[in-house]
């Protein structure tokens, strides 16, 4: 725990502790309030299912078909795949990362800001009079949670698939980060790069950077295997190992670069570029300056 | 130097040394050595100074680096690798990085210096090539330079492999594959080098010896030879008013050039330190230890090996089976052909040029690149060839950062590797000729002064001014080609140099070398354009 002692002495450590304490109080308070308790309830009522279907029809049916059976164009090529049996985790991953509803299907569905009904920052909610900013935010979050839960429940009701992991399941296993790193390098780095910066795949596809994914989304990506990414089920990578990987990703992206600027953490290409542009560039300027300086006293001499 | 005022304590020993070594006359002679002044002459110096910095920082690193492939379990201060199995070499590099005071800085200085060393050698070589400074009597130094470049590549490759991290392991794997692809003897050489199956236990200790002893030793010897020859032959000089083939114009080594070059050492050291302090390089703790099962996106070698990586990446997957042996063209061609082409071409060039142009004279004044359009165009052909290979080595990064398909980049490079050099040749040659034409125009009716004059009749003209002496001298440094030998003299006897197939080829090449020459001569007031037509048809 050497790093912890060192960290504690940093000037901002005090503020950080206060912030964490405030946040914890907020979470506990929210946990006791009845509204969110309802939203996290996983057993869906008929009302919820109906609400889920309604959301689906409004946002998704245009591509995935009215019964989520998938759609095809005139030539018989799939426009959007069937969602029967993909499970709640896939829906949660796709919708919470903003990938779905898709905008213009291309080689790759990019991560983007979720549409308002699934976005805690932009969703429209009726606030009670005199609600504070804090309360408004909690209300918006609750509304989004409910929408997500309902649409997940609806897709789940069409056929079972992997369910959304609980907070415990995705908690980073910080004591196993070494193992997580090893697993990440053997299973993920070939697509996502050693530091999770992303990389190119074939046919115009790419593996995105993992800089914004929440632990839940990382877990879901592993169990659902979106697009070109393989599925890592519990036999290939155990749930415990998944938490180790999550710890590795989360720690790596917040880790400082001890050697200065990380140059995008993409490896030797950026280093070569910096060597030529900055290194040789500066030295050529220096050479021009030095050779342009004429000594005052010495006249030009002939050998 | 006046020793008259020196105190006895200093004067005594100095006289002692001088009486025995005769160093005063030696010093007197050499301290006056003249060095011409042009920024591009300092490029080689960057390489020299980076090499000195490499020697110093490398020695520091050897104090802590353990060249051993023995497996250990890490429990050091970098928590993210706690409990991970790795080689001792990797562990000791982690220790240098995180536990040795100043260790990370030293590693980074060493690596940035390596990058600048290679980049400077390349830039220096280009300068020498494009100004024709490799011409007689300097061919030997040109060859030594090529040797230094090759050794630098190897030295870098070996150094890059030492920390035994995931990226250097990938590099080693490719090296092993390339060696194995050599027909017949490949597997034996690989077994010999690696001491058995890849990766084995021996490769890092062996590379270590090569990296810190053998190759730096040879480099040092060659650098010394390079410098001594240069000292003896003196620098070439850029054309100028006072410059002539018979003497060098510049500043004496002491004190002017010494001060300048001393300052330049400090500049080089400063820039390398700047990079090493503010830009992270080779973060091996992020790559993780070498693990045959792991590979990262964006696995690349250092830039100077990039062209080999690129040629591997763009090569189609061809193999032939001959009498039970597989000949892996897909590895063999990209590993040997580009390097072979560039190095053989560069090595032979001075001799081929001499043969083609029939120019056996000494040259101490450089050509301006525009005045040797064929050479400049050939040089650009090489640069573009190398550049395309180099870019292809980073095709995944290009695809990712510029959002294009990876396959598209591969196909683009496959076309560009053939089309690019040809285009480069044509375009460069046109640019050179265009510049010559503008020189000819300047000589014929002065340069455009930018001053507009109104004539009494109301007409506006731009005043053309006679160029300054200096500018004139530079422009007139262009040598007009001698008319090539007529294939037969007036009696119908073929000239001896054009006889036979070889002579025929030579005569052809000679004509191609000088084709479309544009005469630049002191103003006769005639239209430059017309003059050049005449001349190129004239023979
Ligand atoms: C032209 C000369 C040289 C070049 C191009 C070169 C290049 C390199 C490179 C690229 C590395 C990898 C550095 C890294 O970890 O990021 C390296 C490592 C190393 N070099 Fe050199 N080097 C040169 C000369 C030397 C010399 C003269 C010595 C010793 C006297 C030396 C000792 C070492 C050691 C011990 C390492 C491994 C330690 C480490 O990676 O941190 N090098 N070299």
């Amino acid at each position: 725990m050497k790093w912890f002692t060192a960290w504690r002495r940093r000037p901002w450590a005090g503020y950080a502790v206060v912030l964490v304490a405030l946040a914890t109080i907020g979470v506990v308070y929210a946990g006791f309030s009845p509204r969110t308790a309802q939203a996290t309830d996983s057993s869906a009522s008929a009302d919820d299912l109906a609400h889920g279907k309604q959301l689906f029809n409004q946002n998704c049916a245009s591509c995935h078909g009215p019964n989520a059976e998938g759609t095809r164009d005139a030539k018989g090529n799939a426009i959007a795949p069937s969602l029967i049996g993909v499970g709640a985790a896939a829906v949660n991953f796709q919708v919470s990362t903003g990938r779905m509803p898709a905008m213009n299907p291309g080689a790759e569905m990019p991560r983007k800001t979720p549409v308002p009904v699934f976005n805690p920052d932009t969703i429209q909610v009726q606030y009670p009079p005199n609600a504070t900013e804090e309360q408004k935010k909690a209300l918006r979050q609750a509304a989004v949670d409910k929408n997500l839960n309902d649409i997940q429940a609806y897709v789940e009701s069409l056929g079972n698939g992997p369910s959304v992991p609980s907070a415990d399941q995705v908690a980073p296993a910080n004591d196993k980060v070494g193992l997580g790193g090893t697993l990440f390098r053997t299973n993920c780095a070939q697509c996502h790069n050693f530091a999770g910066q992303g990389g190119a795949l074939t046919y115009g596809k790419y593996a995105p950077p993992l800089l914004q994914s929440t632990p839940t989304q990382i877990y879901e990506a592993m169990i659902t295997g979106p697009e070109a990414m393989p599925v890592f089920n519990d036999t290939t990578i155990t749930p415990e190992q998944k938490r180790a990987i999550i710890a590795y990703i989360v720690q790596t992206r917040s880790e400082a670069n001890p050697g200065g600027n990380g140059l995008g953490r993409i490896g030797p290409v950026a280093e070569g570029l910096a060597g030529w542009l900055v290194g040789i560039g500066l030295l050529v300027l220096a050479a021009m300056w030095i050779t342009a300086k004429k000594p005052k006293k010495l006249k030009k001499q002939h050998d | 130097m006046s020793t008259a005022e020196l105190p006895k304590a200093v004067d005594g020993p100095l006289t002692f040394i001088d009486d025995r070594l005769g160093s005063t006359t030696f010093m007197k002679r050499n301290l006056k050595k003249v060095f011409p002044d042009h920024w591009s002459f300092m490029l080689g110096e960057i390489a020299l100074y980076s090499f000195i910095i490499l020697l110093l920082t490398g020695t520091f690193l050897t104090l802590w680096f353990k060249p051993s492939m023995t497996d250990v379990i890490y429990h050091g201060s970098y928590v993210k690798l706690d409990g991970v199995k790795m080689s001792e070499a990797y562990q000791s590099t982690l220790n240098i990085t995180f536990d040795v005071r100043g260790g990370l800085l030293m590693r980074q200085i060493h690596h940035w210096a390596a990058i600048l060393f290679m980049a400077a050698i390349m830039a220096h070589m280009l300068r020498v090539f494009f100004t024709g400074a490799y011409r007689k009597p300097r061919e030997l130094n040109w060859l030594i330079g090529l040797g230094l470049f090759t050794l630098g590549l190897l030295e870098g490759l070996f150094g890059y492999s030492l920390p035994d991290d995931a990226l250097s392991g990938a590099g080693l794997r490719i090296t092993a594959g390339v060696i194995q692809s050599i027909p017949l003897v490949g597997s034996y050489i690989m077994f010999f080098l690696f001491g058995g199956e890849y990766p084995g236990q021996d490769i890092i200790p062996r590379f270590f010896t090569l990296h810190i002893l053998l190759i730096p030793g040879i480099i040092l010897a060659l650098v010394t030879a390079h410098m001594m020859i240069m000292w003896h032959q003196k620098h070439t000089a850029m054309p100028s008013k006072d410059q002539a083939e018979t003497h060098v114009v510049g500043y004496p080594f002491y004190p002017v050039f010494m001060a300048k070059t001393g300052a330049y050492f400090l500049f080089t050291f400063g820039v390398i330190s700047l990079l090493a302090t503010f830009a992270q390089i080779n973060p091996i703790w992020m790559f993780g230890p070498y693990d045959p099962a792991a590979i990262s996106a964006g696995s690349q070698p250092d830039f100077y090996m990039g062209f080999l990586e690129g040629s591997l990446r763009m090569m189609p997957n061809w193999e032939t089976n001959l009498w039970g042996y597989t000949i892996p063209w897909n590895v063999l061609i990209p590993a040997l052909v580009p390097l072979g082409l560039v190095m053989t071409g560069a090595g032979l060039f001075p001799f081929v040029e001499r043969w083609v142009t029939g120019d056996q004279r000494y040259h101490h004044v450089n050509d301006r690149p525009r005045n040797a359009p064929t050479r400049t165009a050939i040089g650009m052909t090489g640069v573009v060839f190398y550049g395309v290979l180099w870019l292809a080595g980073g095709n995944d990064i290009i695809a990712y950062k510029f959002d294009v398909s990876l396959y598209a980049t591969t196909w683009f490079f496959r076309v560009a590797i053939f089309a690019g050099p040809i285009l480069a040749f044509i375009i460069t040659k046109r640019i050179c000729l265009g510049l010559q034409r503008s020189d000819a125009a300047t000589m014929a009716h002065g340069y455009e002064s930018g001053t507009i004059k109104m004539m009494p009749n109301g007409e506006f003209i731009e005043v053309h001014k006679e160029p300054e002496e200096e500018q004139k001298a530079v422009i007139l440094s262009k040598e007009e080609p001698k008319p090539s030998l007529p294939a037969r003299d007036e009696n119908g006897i073929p000239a001896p140099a054009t006889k036979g197939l070889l002579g025929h080829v030579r005569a052809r090449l000679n004509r191609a070398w000088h084709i479309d020459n544009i005469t630049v001569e002191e103003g006769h007031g005639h239209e430059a354009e017309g003059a050049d037509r005449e001349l190129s048809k004239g023979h």
Side-chain angles (χ1 to χ4, degrees):
Chain A
M1 290 312 238
K2 242 199 288 182
W3 62 271
F4 186 72
T5 332
W7 180 84
R8 235 181 22 179
R9 294 205 203 97
R10 299 271 168 94
W12 41 263
Y15 299 103
V17 170
V18 172
L19 271 179
V20 169
L22 278 177
T24 318
I25 293 172
V27 169
V28 171
Y29 168 79
F32 277 111
S33 67
R35 260 189 326 269
T36 7
Q38 243 167 34
T40 46
D41 188 352
S42 59
S43 62
S45 67
D47 275 359
D48 294 341
L49 278 184
H51 181 228
K53 182 163 175 52
Q54 186 196 349
L55 281 169
F56 186 87
N57 286 340
Q58 285 161 0
N59 294 291
C60 327
S62 58
C63 293
H64 288 285
N67 300 307
E69 71 284 17
T71 51
R72 293 179 178 280
D73 64 13
K75 292 198 205 107
N77 299 324
I79 297 174
S82 158
L83 298 184
I84 295 167
V86 298
V91 176
N92 185 274
F93 172 80
Q94 298 284 351
V95 176
S96 71
T97 61
R99 285 184 168 77
M100 292 293 147
M103 285 305 161
N104 35 1
E108 185 72 40
M109 301 290 172
R111 189 186 175 100
K112 58 184 190 300
T113 323
V115 289
V117 273
F118 300 115
N119 185 343
D121 294 330
T122 49
I123 191 171
Q124 299 291 331
V125 187
Q126 299 281 324
Y127 300 120
N130 317 332
T132 63
E133 265 319 301
E134 208 75 332
Q135 286 166 330
K136 284 183 183 171
K137 204 173 158 204
L139 279 173
R140 289 200 302 269
Q141 184 63 49
V144 165
D145 286 346
K146 167 142 179 62
N147 285 349
L148 270 174
N149 275 337
D150 290 351
I151 194 167
Q152 282 159 208
Y154 168 70
V155 175
E156 184 73 26
S157 74
L158 303 172
N160 280 331
S163 46
V164 178
S166 69
D168 286 344
Q169 274 176 300
V170 303
N174 284 326
D175 50 334
K176 295 207 182 59
V177 64
L179 171 73
T182 307
L183 289 166
F184 186 84
R185 285 188 289 273
T186 35
N187 293 296
C188 323
Q190 75 264 40
C191 296
H192 290 288
N193 138 310
F194 57 87
Q197 296 289 334
L201 301 175
T202 46
Y203 297 111
K205 295 198 178 122
Y206 61 87
L210 307 182
L211 303 178
Q212 300 171 26
S213 326
T214 63
T216 305
Q217 288 163 357
I218 299 173
Y219 196 99
E220 288 168 347
M222 286 189 271
I223 56 175
T224 64
E227 288 194 59
M229 179 165 156
V231 174
F232 296 92
N233 61 29
D234 286 355
T235 40
T236 23
I237 296 183
T238 65
E240 198 53 29
Q241 290 174 333
K242 288 195 171 94
R243 288 181 46 211
I245 293 182
I246 293 172
Y248 178 79
I249 297 176
V250 171
Q251 286 194 20
T252 299
R253 61 192 182 194
S254 61
E255 178 185 356
N257 289 313
N261 186 303
L263 301 183
R265 291 184 175 177
I266 56 168
V269 171
E271 296 163 4
L273 223 57
W276 273 95
L277 296 182
V278 180
I280 296 292
L282 282 180
L283 283 173
V284 162
L285 288 182
M288 288 178 165
W289 182 68
I290 277 194
T291 48
K293 277 196 108 60
K294 301 270 181 265
K296 288 200 187 80
K297 284 199 203 120
L298 260 132
K299 287 257 165 67
K300 281 188 180 181
Q301 308 183 352
H302 290 238
D303 199 19
Chain B
M1 264 203 254
S2 73
T3 42
E5 298 135 42
L6 283 181
K8 223 176 161 75
V10 182
D11 194 30
L14 273 184
T15 319
F16 178 87
I17 293 174
D18 192 38
D19 285 351
R20 274 147 199 90
L21 302 179
S23 35
T24 315
T25 34
F26 175 82
M27 295 290 260
K28 260 193 197 142
R29 186 151 43 84
N30 283 298
L31 288 179
K32 281 202 313 209
K33 207 85 186 176
V34 159
F35 280 79
D37 237 5
H38 191 269
W39 66 267
S40 68
F41 291 176
M42 305 300 266
L43 292 171
E45 250 137 275
I46 307 179
L48 178 67
Y49 298 141
S50 315
F51 181 62
I52 294 173
I53 294 170
L54 280 166
L55 288 177
L56 297 176
T57 50
T59 308
F60 178 93
L61 292 175
T62 51
L63 302 180
W64 284 278
F65 181 73
K66 289 204 197 76
S68 147
M69 292 175 93
T70 313
D71 281 336
V72 290
I73 305 288
Y74 183 74
H75 289 296
S77 48
Y78 186 64
V79 185
K80 266 177 67 199
L81 284 171
D82 193 50
V84 173
K85 197 176 93 177
M86 57 184 65
S87 67
E88 254 193 298
Y90 184 75
Q91 186 188 35
S92 67
T93 314
L94 284 181
N95 290 344
I96 294 177
T97 307
F98 293 108
D99 301 308
V100 174
R101 194 169 289 255
L104 177 59
L105 185 64
M106 283 294 171
R107 270 195 61 229
Q108 301 209 123
I109 292 183
H110 191 71
H111 207 133
W112 279 118
I115 300 267
L116 279 199
F117 176 69
M118 291 308 292
I121 288 190
M122 286 160 84
H124 174 60
M125 274 173 36
L126 292 177
R127 196 283 289 175
V128 168
F129 184 85
F130 284 115
T131 57
Y134 56 80
R135 288 175 300 173
K136 191 176 170 184
R138 295 185 177 75
E139 298 100 325
L140 264 188
N141 246 358
W142 170 251
L143 293 180
I144 292 181
L146 291 180
L148 281 169
F149 175 69
T150 318
L151 286 170
L153 284 184
L154 283 178
E155 178 73 354
L157 174 72
F158 293 162
Y160 193 72
S161 307
L162 290 182
D164 202 23
D165 57 276
L167 278 198
S168 73
L172 262 188
R173 176 75 267 208
I174 295 179
T175 315
V178 166
I179 296 176
Q180 266 177 318
S181 78
I182 302 171
L184 302 178
V185 291
S187 324
Y188 297 101
I189 298 184
M190 204 213 82
F191 262 68
F192 179 70
L193 190 66
F194 284 72
E197 284 289 348
Y198 170 86
Q201 286 287 316
D202 292 342
I203 193 65
I204 298 243
R206 285 183 182 177
F207 274 12
F208 184 65
T209 314
L210 294 177
H211 183 78
I212 69 160
L213 209 63
L214 185 68
I215 300 184
I218 305 178
I219 293 185
L220 195 59
L222 285 182
V223 166
T224 314
H226 199 72
M227 301 310 288
M228 280 167 62
I229 294 178
M230 191 274 287
W231 196 274
H232 170 73
Q233 296 177 333
K234 303 181 194 64
H235 256 295
T236 55
M238 294 298 178
S240 76
K241 185 157 58 85
D242 310 311
Q243 192 62 62
E245 285 288 2
T246 47
H247 60 239
V248 193
V249 179
Y251 298 113
F253 179 75
Y254 181 86
V256 179
F257 192 71
M258 201 164 91
K260 286 194 179 191
T261 197
Y264 203 59
F265 173 75
L266 296 180
F267 264 117
T268 311
F269 187 53
V271 167
I272 291 178
S273 308
L274 201 76
L275 279 167
T277 314
F278 293 111
Q280 178 164 294
I281 190 163
N282 208 17
I284 53 134
W285 58 94
M286 288 220 168
F287 303 152
Y290 178 57
D291 171 353
I295 182 90
S296 166
S299 284
Q300 257 97 10
D302 267 358
F303 88 86
Y304 41 86
M305 296 303 283
F307 71 107
L308 282 179
E309 173 87 13
S311 66
L312 273 172
R313 287 185 183 198
M314 70 166 79
M315 182 69 197
N317 200 4
W318 293 342
E319 286 183 349
T320 351
N321 246 303
L322 269 187
W323 304 294
Y325 289 100
T326 309
I327 303 183
W329 301 116
N330 48 1
V331 183
L332 205 57
I333 293 182
L336 302 182
V337 172
L339 191 62
L341 272 180
V342 172
M343 296 309 281
T344 321
L348 291 181
F349 198 83
F351 306 100
V352 173
E353 179 184 322
R354 224 173 60 193
W355 180 68
V356 167
T357 56
D359 181 358
Q360 308 290 346
R361 293 164 305 160
Y362 287 89
H363 288 280
H364 299 295
V365 179
N366 286 325
D367 272 341
R368 297 168 85 205
R370 68 180 66 168
N371 290 341
T374 311
R375 176 199 302 142
T376 307
I378 291 178
M380 282 314 290
T381 309
V383 168
V384 168
F385 179 71
Y386 185 95
V388 170
L389 289 175
W390 187 15
L391 283 178
N395 67 343
D396 59 334
I397 304 280
I398 293 174
Y400 185 49
K401 292 286 169 197
F402 297 100
D403 206 6
V404 285
S405 153
L406 194 63
Y407 277 148
T409 64
T410 304
W411 274 106
F412 171 79
F413 288 126
R414 281 178 184 168
V415 174
I417 194 66
F418 294 107
I422 297 176
L423 276 179
F425 185 91
I426 299 172
I427 295 173
T428 311
K429 195 146 178 210
R430 288 297 116 193
I431 292 177
C432 287
L433 292 176
L435 289 171
Q436 283 190 13
R437 212 163 274 141
S438 103
D439 281 352
T442 307
M443 289 316 292
H445 27 244
Y447 66 95
E448 295 167 5
S449 63
T451 318
I452 307 286
K453 209 155 97 180
M454 190 172 153
M455 304 303 270
N457 60 2
E459 186 193 0
F460 287 99
I461 58 160
E462 186 176 5
V463 179
H464 282 233
K465 278 198 184 139
E466 174 97 342
E468 304 274 323
E469 277 300 299
E470 176 63 36
Q471 196 192 355
K472 244 183 185 167
V474 170
I475 291 180
L476 288 176
S477 73
K478 175 173 187 301
E479 276 197 334
E480 295 311 329
K482 296 201 195 61
S484 45
L485 295 172
R488 283 161 195 283
D489 63 15
E490 53 270 33
N491 302 325
I493 317 251
T498 59
K499 261 194 282 192
L501 181 64
L502 224 54
H504 189 69
V505 171
R506 179 168 173 247
R508 283 269 164 139
L509 286 176
N510 184 296
R511 214 163 317 134
W513 186 273
H514 292 307
I515 207 162
D516 335 303
N517 176 61
I518 286 158
T519 313
V520 181
E521 45 194 2
E522 198 127 16
H524 299 306
H526 60 60
E527 187 55 56
E529 200 70 10
D532 102 65
R533 287 281 145 64
E534 245 170 67
L535 198 119
S536 55
K537 272 192 225 117
H539 48 257

